[in-house]
Amino acid sequence: MNLENDTNATPSPDATSPGKKSENDWAMLTHLSGLVALLGIPGVVGPLIAWIIKKDEMPRVDFAGKEAINFHITMLIIAVISVPLCLVLIGFVTLLLAYVM
């Protein structure tokens, strides 16, 4: 039997189902929570909190949280290295490149 043409086949769940929407919202929040850096809080704190809250319940949030934390730790390392390098002027270039990223 050819299932491709069967109109009675049940559709597979996709990213728009109600359960997935909540998971997608939390994954997005995990990435956007890095904007706490605009308040003077290290950018890694927001994604870390969101990841800790939902990592065991939602696999997509677990993955997104790890990505966001990794990104913000990398940015923090670049900033820590670039600030002393500003004394020899190369730090301004690396900070600008990190900001653009």
Side-chain angles (χ1 to χ4, degrees):
M1 183 164 114
N2 187 359
L3 291 178
E4 292 177 358
N5 296 329
D6 187 9
T7 57
N8 294 329
T10 58
S12 62
D14 59 359
T16 59
S17 63
K20 291 290 185 184
K21 180 163 178 18
S22 175
E23 193 169 350
N24 288 341
D25 290 346
W26 271 97
M28 180 182 63
L29 178 69
T30 302
H31 284 284
L32 291 178
S33 62
L35 294 175
V36 298
L38 298 174
L39 301 174
I41 301 169
V44 73
V45 173
L48 183 63
I49 291 171
W51 177 69
I52 288 173
I53 291 172
K54 292 291 183 176
K55 69 177 178 166
D56 296 327
E57 300 170 29
M58 302 175 173
R60 183 170 297 196
V61 175
D62 184 35
F63 180 74
K66 289 175 185 176
E67 281 186 334
I69 291 168
N70 186 19
F71 175 78
H72 288 287
I73 288 174
T74 302
M75 291 295 110
L76 183 64
I77 291 170
I78 291 171
V80 167
I81 292 172
S82 296
V83 168
L85 288 176
C86 286
L87 295 173
V88 290
L89 301 178
I90 191 71
F92 294 111
V93 174
T94 56
L95 279 174
L96 179 65
L97 291 174
Y99 179 72
V100 170
M101 280 182 29

